[in-house]
Amino acid sequence: MSETDQPSVPLSTLLANPSLGLSQVAGPDEDRLISTVGTTEVEDPAPYVVGGELLLTAGVRLPREAHGIDTYVSRVVAAGVAALGFGVAPVHLEIPAELVTACDRYGLPLLRLPPHTPFVAVGQATYAAIAEVRNRELRRISKAQSALASAAARADALQAVLQQLSAHVEAWSVLFDGQGNELLSAGRRPVAPGPQLARDLAVRTVARATRSHPKDRPPPPTAAAHHHEGLHLTVHTLPGMDGATAPLALGQIADTAPTLADRQVTSMATVLLSLLTSPSHALGTDTRSVGALVQLMLGATPAEVAPALVAAVDPAGDHWIVVHGRHVPPQSTTTPPSGEVAARLAALATALGTPYLHIDGSSLRALIPAVPGTRPTAPPQAAALGWTLGFSAAVPVTELAGADTQAERALERALAREAPAVVHQTDAHTLHALVAPAEARELARARFAPLSQTSTPGAGALLVTLRTWLTFHGTWDRTAAALDIHRNTVRHRLARVAELLDVDLRDPDTRMELWFALQWLPDDAF
């Protein structure tokens, strides 16, 4: 397709048609696109063409002198004619040499039509070829739309849609948030500076599309394009479900300019991505989930409703992985705009492979359906979005409370290590395996029982402060920041812990002993 979206056919297709007998005698070898065929015998056809034509003439009114022919060719080139076809006989036995010279000078392909080829036949062949191209593009669009629709029904819908889009338009496809962070991407990643250029274009386009504008003026464009050293960059903002523009953008980088079919496929993908990042979809409000919620509110247990949730996501799974997360932006501590929460939620859901997420400010909790023995892995998209994660082991639904504790402790270790994620490990070669679980719990209860003697701030606050302080290897400032309290409050609480437990927290052996006891202490101890 041409850049004007007019259905067209390559000039080489007409030259290869044996029934026409066409041959190129002048002009460049580049494969021009022909959108229509016109016939003219006027001295200046420029006012009567629209561009992209194969203009046919028998030279009835062609000037006789070289200067006039030169002017004739310059005018049709300026009017946008794609190629000139000259029919020999009966007016001219051969193409005038001056016309050949002029077409070479102005870069206009010149075709020779033999005497037995009617102009009408050239038009019929051209329109038949254009119809075939159009039918082929329609079949391609239909196939792509079917693939995109199927991808949107998958559990990892966002990633699946991007992958299908990338495959069908042969471009790197990426989903950006309003700050230009890459949420998800698919396809071969271009070399630098392509991704950065796409990011900058997305940020500018989103900012322009979301900026308020006077009511008496048309809204700003929601798409943009840029070319850089053979790369074709395009950006489309995702329309919000309320008619406004959400702060999300779909970026694409390809080696060739997008065709009309490419743009139609991209348009459908944009609509699907908008639906998939809407709040209702991001929160997983499908009928199974809603039904499970109703059952829970009416007294059902998690074990009774879990099969319905698992079947909706992973029919083979009967275990769950609990995830705890903390949002720690790499370069900024600002909270994302409210319009991006649903998009970030949907991106995380796709990355983690589950719709069961809850974000409360900077905290995240999630449930991932799994099969026994599954070892979770942290998706790179989570770290790119500023999330630090802690994963539990895969457990049956009856052990979710313990898994919740595992995930919380794993997150604490991840924050202390400044690692993107930590996965809970159950290893037979640790000290935990040397002590019976029941005895270990009773030992931990007894060890921390003196903390119940304090009323303010309470045993729970003292335990949380001690655990966080040990997690951060005795760092006062990091403990205070993690708990959002003053460092003097941390010192006061730990002094109270040392007094009640009659220990010296400066002793590394004491710290180690308390750390193990904390791992065994049940959540309902106090």
Side-chain angles (χ1 to χ4, degrees):
M1 299 294 173
S2 70
E3 292 190 0
T4 61
D5 292 341
Q6 182 73 18
S8 55
V9 63
L11 182 60
S12 59
T13 300
L14 302 179
L15 291 171
N17 188 332
S19 66
L20 299 178
L22 306 179
S23 59
Q24 184 172 344
V25 297
D29 294 331
E30 63 186 45
D31 205 3
R32 300 282 180 89
L33 293 177
I34 306 300
S35 59
T36 187
V37 177
T39 301
T40 181
E41 298 298 345
V42 299
E43 294 182 2
D44 182 10
Y48 309 102
V49 298
V50 295
E53 295 94 346
L54 169 58
L55 189 62
L56 304 180
T57 180
V60 175
R61 304 292 297 273
L62 185 70
R64 300 297 178 180
E65 69 283 358
H67 175 73
I69 293 177
D70 188 275
T71 301
Y72 176 91
V73 173
S74 67
R75 287 175 176 174
V76 296
V77 169
V81 170
L84 183 66
F86 196 93
V88 297
V91 180
H92 296 270
L93 297 180
E94 273 303 333
I95 301 177
E98 294 82 0
L99 183 59
V100 174
T101 301
C103 287
D104 280 331
R105 178 182 300 116
Y106 291 101
L108 179 66
L110 176 61
L111 309 186
R112 180 184 185 276
L113 278 67
H116 65 271
T117 300
F119 286 5
V120 173
V122 176
Q124 290 175 338
T126 301
Y127 297 132
I130 289 175
E132 175 56 30
V133 169
R134 185 58 177 162
N135 289 336
R136 186 164 60 246
E137 291 292 84
L138 289 174
R139 290 192 296 270
R140 177 187 164 210
I141 293 171
S142 177
K143 182 178 179 181
Q145 289 177 338
S146 177
L148 288 171
S150 298
R154 290 176 43 172
D156 58 339
L158 279 177
Q159 185 66 55
V161 168
L162 283 178
Q163 288 174 339
Q164 290 298 328
L165 173 62
S166 176
H168 284 277
V169 302
E170 297 182 355
W172 181 60
S173 300
V174 56
L175 190 62
F176 291 108
D177 66 11
Q179 281 70 50
N181 298 309
E182 293 184 20
L183 304 182
L184 297 166
S185 65
R188 180 176 59 85
R189 187 180 184 86
V191 298
Q196 183 62 39
L197 292 175
R199 176 190 180 279
D200 295 341
L201 184 62
V203 171
R204 293 195 304 270
T205 306
V206 168
R208 183 174 60 246
T210 55
R211 189 182 304 125
S212 60
H213 63 281
K215 295 182 179 180
D216 57 344
R217 296 183 182 179
T222 58
H226 179 63
H227 305 280
H228 177 78
E229 297 181 357
L231 294 179
H232 297 264
L233 295 79
T234 56
V235 165
H236 301 265
T237 58
L238 301 190
M241 294 306 296
D242 57 355
T245 301
L248 271 179
L250 170 65
Q252 293 176 296
I253 299 181
D255 295 330
T256 58
T259 65
L260 175 61
D262 292 335
R263 286 191 282 273
Q264 290 181 337
V265 173
T266 299
S267 178
M268 180 180 182
T270 301
V271 173
L272 288 175
L273 291 171
S274 178
L275 292 171
L276 293 171
T277 54
S278 66
S280 60
H281 187 279
L283 295 173
T285 52
D286 56 273
T287 55
R288 288 181 181 271
S289 299
V290 171
L293 176 61
V294 171
Q295 293 179 59
L296 282 173
M297 294 180 68
L298 296 180
T301 66
E304 291 173 322
V305 302
L309 299 179
V310 172
V313 179
D314 185 357
D318 58 2
H319 280 50
W320 296 84
I321 294 169
V322 181
V323 184
H324 278 225
R326 179 75 59 80
H327 190 247
V328 185
Q331 298 178 343
S332 173
T333 57
T334 59
T335 303
S338 58
E340 291 189 13
V341 173
R344 289 175 177 268
L345 196 60
L348 279 173
T350 296
L352 292 171
T354 177
Y356 306 123
L357 291 90
H358 173 66
I359 293 179
D360 183 10
S362 61
S363 298
L364 160 75
R365 299 178 77 181
L367 287 171
I368 303 176
V371 295
T374 299
R375 178 173 174 79
T377 57
Q381 294 91 343
L385 291 172
W387 287 99
T388 299
L389 303 177
F391 293 83
S392 75
V395 301
V397 69
T398 54
E399 299 179 18
L400 281 178
D404 189 55
T405 300
Q406 292 177 3
E408 180 183 4
R409 306 283 168 77
L411 175 60
E412 292 173 352
R413 292 194 292 273
L415 291 170
R417 299 177 190 174
E418 297 184 348
V422 166
V423 179
H424 173 81
Q425 292 183 344
T426 303
D427 192 342
H429 300 291
T430 65
L431 292 178
H432 293 277
L434 300 178
V435 183
E439 295 180 5
R441 287 192 290 270
E442 289 306 314
L443 176 65
R445 287 179 188 272
R447 187 70 184 88
F448 293 109
L451 297 184
S452 61
Q453 299 175 13
T454 182
S455 57
T456 304
L462 294 180
L463 285 171
V464 169
T465 304
L466 175 62
R467 185 192 304 280
T468 306
W469 184 71
L470 292 174
T471 296
F472 287 114
H473 310 293
T475 304
W476 306 100
D477 291 334
R478 295 182 65 186
T479 303
L483 297 177
D484 197 22
I485 58 178
H486 196 276
R487 67 195 309 269
N488 289 339
T489 304
V490 175
R491 289 181 179 274
H492 176 76
R493 289 183 181 180
L494 290 176
R496 185 63 174 151
V497 169
E499 176 187 353
L500 292 172
L501 299 183
D502 191 21
V503 296
D504 182 2
L505 293 179
R506 296 171 298 180
D507 183 5
D509 289 338
T510 299
R511 295 187 187 185
M512 180 181 67
E513 180 258 326
L514 292 176
W515 177 256
F516 280 112
L518 283 170
Q519 308 309 303
W520 289 317
L521 184 67
D523 290 338
D524 59 352
F526 298 100

PDB file of all heavy atoms in Angstrom, residues 61-85:
ATOM      1  N   ARG A  61      -0.499  14.506 -28.900  1.00  0.00           N
ATOM      2  CA  ARG A  61      -0.212  15.922 -28.715  1.00  0.00           C
ATOM      3  C   ARG A  61       1.152  16.153 -28.077  1.00  0.00           C
ATOM      4  O   ARG A  61       1.414  17.214 -27.516  1.00  0.00           O
ATOM      5  CB  ARG A  61      -1.303  16.562 -27.830  1.00  0.00           C
ATOM      6  CG  ARG A  61      -2.719  16.372 -28.358  1.00  0.00           C
ATOM      7  CD  ARG A  61      -2.930  17.146 -29.657  1.00  0.00           C
ATOM      8  NE  ARG A  61      -2.794  18.575 -29.450  1.00  0.00           N
ATOM      9  CZ  ARG A  61      -3.783  19.375 -29.078  1.00  0.00           C
ATOM     10  NH1 ARG A  61      -5.001  18.856 -28.847  1.00  0.00           N
ATOM     11  NH2 ARG A  61      -3.597  20.662 -28.930  1.00  0.00           N
ATOM     12  N   LEU A  62       2.007  15.157 -28.157  1.00  0.00           N
ATOM     13  CA  LEU A  62       3.343  15.305 -27.574  1.00  0.00           C
ATOM     14  C   LEU A  62       4.138  16.342 -28.361  1.00  0.00           C
ATOM     15  O   LEU A  62       4.164  16.307 -29.606  1.00  0.00           O
ATOM     16  CB  LEU A  62       4.082  13.969 -27.613  1.00  0.00           C
ATOM     17  CG  LEU A  62       5.457  13.933 -26.915  1.00  0.00           C
ATOM     18  CD1 LEU A  62       5.281  14.024 -25.397  1.00  0.00           C
ATOM     19  CD2 LEU A  62       6.216  12.658 -27.290  1.00  0.00           C
ATOM     20  N   PRO A  63       4.769  17.307 -27.670  1.00  0.00           N
ATOM     21  CA  PRO A  63       5.566  18.313 -28.391  1.00  0.00           C
ATOM     22  C   PRO A  63       6.622  17.656 -29.275  1.00  0.00           C
ATOM     23  O   PRO A  63       7.148  16.573 -28.965  1.00  0.00           O
ATOM     24  CB  PRO A  63       6.198  19.127 -27.259  1.00  0.00           C
ATOM     25  CG  PRO A  63       5.279  18.942 -26.094  1.00  0.00           C
ATOM     26  CD  PRO A  63       4.766  17.552 -26.215  1.00  0.00           C
ATOM     27  N   ARG A  64       6.985  18.343 -30.356  1.00  0.00           N
ATOM     28  CA  ARG A  64       7.952  17.783 -31.296  1.00  0.00           C
ATOM     29  C   ARG A  64       9.388  18.102 -30.899  1.00  0.00           C
ATOM     30  O   ARG A  64      10.289  17.304 -31.143  1.00  0.00           O
ATOM     31  CB  ARG A  64       7.673  18.326 -32.702  1.00  0.00           C
ATOM     32  CG  ARG A  64       6.287  17.989 -33.236  1.00  0.00           C
ATOM     33  CD  ARG A  64       6.114  16.480 -33.377  1.00  0.00           C
ATOM     34  NE  ARG A  64       4.771  16.115 -33.857  1.00  0.00           N
ATOM     35  CZ  ARG A  64       4.377  14.872 -34.064  1.00  0.00           C
ATOM     36  NH1 ARG A  64       5.230  13.894 -33.855  1.00  0.00           N
ATOM     37  NH2 ARG A  64       3.148  14.619 -34.467  1.00  0.00           N
ATOM     38  N   GLU A  65       9.604  19.255 -30.295  1.00  0.00           N
ATOM     39  CA  GLU A  65      10.971  19.665 -29.989  1.00  0.00           C
ATOM     40  C   GLU A  65      11.353  19.156 -28.588  1.00  0.00           C
ATOM     41  O   GLU A  65      10.510  18.892 -27.735  1.00  0.00           O
ATOM     42  CB  GLU A  65      11.121  21.180 -30.064  1.00  0.00           C
ATOM     43  CG  GLU A  65      10.394  21.969 -28.980  1.00  0.00           C
ATOM     44  CD  GLU A  65       8.903  22.088 -29.218  1.00  0.00           C
ATOM     45  OE1 GLU A  65       8.426  21.578 -30.273  1.00  0.00           O
ATOM     46  OE2 GLU A  65       8.204  22.687 -28.372  1.00  0.00           O
ATOM     47  N   ALA A  66      12.675  19.032 -28.357  1.00  0.00           N
ATOM     48  CA  ALA A  66      13.195  18.500 -27.106  1.00  0.00           C
ATOM     49  C   ALA A  66      12.792  19.338 -25.907  1.00  0.00           C
ATOM     50  O   ALA A  66      12.469  18.810 -24.836  1.00  0.00           O
ATOM     51  CB  ALA A  66      14.722  18.387 -27.183  1.00  0.00           C
ATOM     52  N   HIS A  67      12.779  20.684 -26.073  1.00  0.00           N
ATOM     53  CA  HIS A  67      12.425  21.553 -24.961  1.00  0.00           C
ATOM     54  C   HIS A  67      10.986  21.321 -24.515  1.00  0.00           C
ATOM     55  O   HIS A  67      10.688  21.262 -23.310  1.00  0.00           O
ATOM     56  CB  HIS A  67      12.623  23.015 -25.357  1.00  0.00           C
ATOM     57  CG  HIS A  67      12.157  23.980 -24.295  1.00  0.00           C
ATOM     58  ND1 HIS A  67      12.840  24.180 -23.120  1.00  0.00           N
ATOM     59  CD2 HIS A  67      11.044  24.785 -24.245  1.00  0.00           C
ATOM     60  CE1 HIS A  67      12.187  25.066 -22.385  1.00  0.00           C
ATOM     61  NE2 HIS A  67      11.104  25.455 -23.047  1.00  0.00           N
ATOM     62  N   GLY A  68      10.078  21.180 -25.464  1.00  0.00           N
ATOM     63  CA  GLY A  68       8.679  20.955 -25.132  1.00  0.00           C
ATOM     64  C   GLY A  68       8.473  19.610 -24.434  1.00  0.00           C
ATOM     65  O   GLY A  68       7.691  19.497 -23.491  1.00  0.00           O
ATOM     66  N   ILE A  69       9.192  18.575 -24.904  1.00  0.00           N
ATOM     67  CA  ILE A  69       9.093  17.252 -24.264  1.00  0.00           C
ATOM     68  C   ILE A  69       9.628  17.317 -22.835  1.00  0.00           C
ATOM     69  O   ILE A  69       9.059  16.722 -21.903  1.00  0.00           O
ATOM     70  CB  ILE A  69       9.842  16.203 -25.096  1.00  0.00           C
ATOM     71  CG1 ILE A  69       9.121  15.994 -26.441  1.00  0.00           C
ATOM     72  CG2 ILE A  69       9.970  14.897 -24.327  1.00  0.00           C
ATOM     73  CD1 ILE A  69       9.820  15.023 -27.367  1.00  0.00           C
ATOM     74  N   ASP A  70      10.721  18.056 -22.669  1.00  0.00           N
ATOM     75  CA  ASP A  70      11.302  18.205 -21.331  1.00  0.00           C
ATOM     76  C   ASP A  70      10.303  18.866 -20.376  1.00  0.00           C
ATOM     77  O   ASP A  70      10.132  18.440 -19.216  1.00  0.00           O
ATOM     78  CB  ASP A  70      12.582  19.030 -21.413  1.00  0.00           C
ATOM     79  CG  ASP A  70      13.332  19.069 -20.111  1.00  0.00           C
ATOM     80  OD1 ASP A  70      13.001  19.923 -19.256  1.00  0.00           O
ATOM     81  OD2 ASP A  70      14.242  18.241 -19.904  1.00  0.00           O
ATOM     82  N   THR A  71       9.603  19.890 -20.868  1.00  0.00           N
ATOM     83  CA  THR A  71       8.600  20.564 -20.043  1.00  0.00           C
ATOM     84  C   THR A  71       7.435  19.633 -19.728  1.00  0.00           C
ATOM     85  O   THR A  71       6.915  19.610 -18.597  1.00  0.00           O
ATOM     86  CB  THR A  71       8.086  21.814 -20.766  1.00  0.00           C
ATOM     87  OG1 THR A  71       9.184  22.700 -21.029  1.00  0.00           O
ATOM     88  CG2 THR A  71       7.036  22.532 -19.935  1.00  0.00           C
ATOM     89  N   TYR A  72       7.015  18.855 -20.699  1.00  0.00           N
ATOM     90  CA  TYR A  72       5.918  17.894 -20.528  1.00  0.00           C
ATOM     91  C   TYR A  72       6.239  16.913 -19.395  1.00  0.00           C
ATOM     92  O   TYR A  72       5.440  16.678 -18.482  1.00  0.00           O
ATOM     93  CB  TYR A  72       5.696  17.147 -21.846  1.00  0.00           C
ATOM     94  CG  TYR A  72       4.655  16.045 -21.799  1.00  0.00           C
ATOM     95  CD1 TYR A  72       3.321  16.319 -22.093  1.00  0.00           C
ATOM     96  CD2 TYR A  72       5.007  14.730 -21.484  1.00  0.00           C
ATOM     97  CE1 TYR A  72       2.366  15.314 -22.075  1.00  0.00           C
ATOM     98  CE2 TYR A  72       4.067  13.715 -21.454  1.00  0.00           C
ATOM     99  CZ  TYR A  72       2.750  14.014 -21.748  1.00  0.00           C
ATOM    100  OH  TYR A  72       1.795  13.020 -21.732  1.00  0.00           O
ATOM    101  N   VAL A  73       7.441  16.323 -19.440  1.00  0.00           N
ATOM    102  CA  VAL A  73       7.829  15.338 -18.431  1.00  0.00           C
ATOM    103  C   VAL A  73       7.959  15.992 -17.052  1.00  0.00           C
ATOM    104  O   VAL A  73       7.531  15.428 -16.038  1.00  0.00           O
ATOM    105  CB  VAL A  73       9.140  14.641 -18.840  1.00  0.00           C
ATOM    106  CG1 VAL A  73       9.641  13.727 -17.718  1.00  0.00           C
ATOM    107  CG2 VAL A  73       8.942  13.843 -20.123  1.00  0.00           C
ATOM    108  N   SER A  74       8.535  17.168 -16.990  1.00  0.00           N
ATOM    109  CA  SER A  74       8.721  17.826 -15.694  1.00  0.00           C
ATOM    110  C   SER A  74       7.379  18.100 -15.029  1.00  0.00           C
ATOM    111  O   SER A  74       7.246  18.009 -13.804  1.00  0.00           O
ATOM    112  CB  SER A  74       9.509  19.125 -15.863  1.00  0.00           C
ATOM    113  OG  SER A  74       8.765  20.084 -16.599  1.00  0.00           O
ATOM    114  N   ARG A  75       6.369  18.430 -15.829  1.00  0.00           N
ATOM    115  CA  ARG A  75       5.059  18.724 -15.264  1.00  0.00           C
ATOM    116  C   ARG A  75       4.370  17.472 -14.714  1.00  0.00           C
ATOM    117  O   ARG A  75       3.769  17.501 -13.631  1.00  0.00           O
ATOM    118  CB  ARG A  75       4.183  19.390 -16.319  1.00  0.00           C
ATOM    119  CG  ARG A  75       4.577  20.850 -16.611  1.00  0.00           C
ATOM    120  CD  ARG A  75       3.762  21.417 -17.757  1.00  0.00           C
ATOM    121  NE  ARG A  75       4.083  22.838 -17.973  1.00  0.00           N
ATOM    122  CZ  ARG A  75       3.610  23.550 -18.985  1.00  0.00           C
ATOM    123  NH1 ARG A  75       2.798  22.972 -19.898  1.00  0.00           N
ATOM    124  NH2 ARG A  75       3.941  24.827 -19.113  1.00  0.00           N
ATOM    125  N   VAL A  76       4.439  16.369 -15.451  1.00  0.00           N
ATOM    126  CA  VAL A  76       3.769  15.161 -14.959  1.00  0.00           C
ATOM    127  C   VAL A  76       4.488  14.602 -13.731  1.00  0.00           C
ATOM    128  O   VAL A  76       3.859  14.037 -12.823  1.00  0.00           O
ATOM    129  CB  VAL A  76       3.656  14.092 -16.066  1.00  0.00           C
ATOM    130  CG1 VAL A  76       2.784  14.596 -17.199  1.00  0.00           C
ATOM    131  CG2 VAL A  76       5.005  13.638 -16.578  1.00  0.00           C
ATOM    132  N   VAL A  77       5.812  14.784 -13.687  1.00  0.00           N
ATOM    133  CA  VAL A  77       6.546  14.355 -12.499  1.00  0.00           C
ATOM    134  C   VAL A  77       6.136  15.205 -11.302  1.00  0.00           C
ATOM    135  O   VAL A  77       5.905  14.700 -10.200  1.00  0.00           O
ATOM    136  CB  VAL A  77       8.073  14.437 -12.732  1.00  0.00           C
ATOM    137  CG1 VAL A  77       8.832  14.256 -11.421  1.00  0.00           C
ATOM    138  CG2 VAL A  77       8.506  13.383 -13.743  1.00  0.00           C
ATOM    139  N   ALA A  78       6.036  16.524 -11.497  1.00  0.00           N
ATOM    140  CA  ALA A  78       5.623  17.408 -10.408  1.00  0.00           C
ATOM    141  C   ALA A  78       4.212  17.091  -9.937  1.00  0.00           C
ATOM    142  O   ALA A  78       3.872  17.303  -8.760  1.00  0.00           O
ATOM    143  CB  ALA A  78       5.720  18.862 -10.856  1.00  0.00           C
ATOM    144  N   ALA A  79       3.368  16.576 -10.823  1.00  0.00           N
ATOM    145  CA  ALA A  79       1.994  16.232 -10.458  1.00  0.00           C
ATOM    146  C   ALA A  79       1.897  14.905  -9.730  1.00  0.00           C
ATOM    147  O   ALA A  79       0.820  14.532  -9.250  1.00  0.00           O
ATOM    148  CB  ALA A  79       1.114  16.201 -11.707  1.00  0.00           C
ATOM    149  N   GLY A  80       3.013  14.157  -9.645  1.00  0.00           N
ATOM    150  CA  GLY A  80       3.010  12.908  -8.883  1.00  0.00           C
ATOM    151  C   GLY A  80       2.731  11.668  -9.683  1.00  0.00           C
ATOM    152  O   GLY A  80       2.460  10.602  -9.110  1.00  0.00           O
ATOM    153  N   VAL A  81       2.799  11.745 -11.008  1.00  0.00           N
ATOM    154  CA  VAL A  81       2.594  10.553 -11.835  1.00  0.00           C
ATOM    155  C   VAL A  81       3.674   9.525 -11.509  1.00  0.00           C
ATOM    156  O   VAL A  81       4.864   9.858 -11.404  1.00  0.00           O
ATOM    157  CB  VAL A  81       2.624  10.918 -13.330  1.00  0.00           C
ATOM    158  CG1 VAL A  81       2.663   9.670 -14.200  1.00  0.00           C
ATOM    159  CG2 VAL A  81       1.412  11.778 -13.667  1.00  0.00           C
ATOM    160  N   ALA A  82       3.268   8.261 -11.295  1.00  0.00           N
ATOM    161  CA  ALA A  82       4.221   7.223 -10.891  1.00  0.00           C
ATOM    162  C   ALA A  82       5.025   6.690 -12.074  1.00  0.00           C
ATOM    163  O   ALA A  82       6.207   6.356 -11.927  1.00  0.00           O
ATOM    164  CB  ALA A  82       3.479   6.072 -10.210  1.00  0.00           C
ATOM    165  N   ALA A  83       4.406   6.589 -13.241  1.00  0.00           N
ATOM    166  CA  ALA A  83       5.101   6.059 -14.416  1.00  0.00           C
ATOM    167  C   ALA A  83       4.353   6.520 -15.665  1.00  0.00           C
ATOM    168  O   ALA A  83       3.157   6.847 -15.617  1.00  0.00           O
ATOM    169  CB  ALA A  83       5.183   4.536 -14.368  1.00  0.00           C
ATOM    170  N   LEU A  84       5.067   6.518 -16.770  1.00  0.00           N
ATOM    171  CA  LEU A  84       4.500   6.926 -18.058  1.00  0.00           C
ATOM    172  C   LEU A  84       4.575   5.755 -19.012  1.00  0.00           C
ATOM    173  O   LEU A  84       5.626   5.134 -19.178  1.00  0.00           O
ATOM    174  CB  LEU A  84       5.272   8.120 -18.619  1.00  0.00           C
ATOM    175  CG  LEU A  84       4.769   8.719 -19.937  1.00  0.00           C
ATOM    176  CD1 LEU A  84       3.382   9.341 -19.750  1.00  0.00           C
ATOM    177  CD2 LEU A  84       5.752   9.767 -20.457  1.00  0.00           C
ATOM    178  N   GLY A  85       3.419   5.433 -19.615  1.00  0.00           N
ATOM    179  CA  GLY A  85       3.374   4.359 -20.602  1.00  0.00           C
ATOM    180  C   GLY A  85       3.157   4.940 -21.989  1.00  0.00           C
ATOM    181  O   GLY A  85       2.221   5.731 -22.195  1.00  0.00           O
TER     182      GLY A  85
END
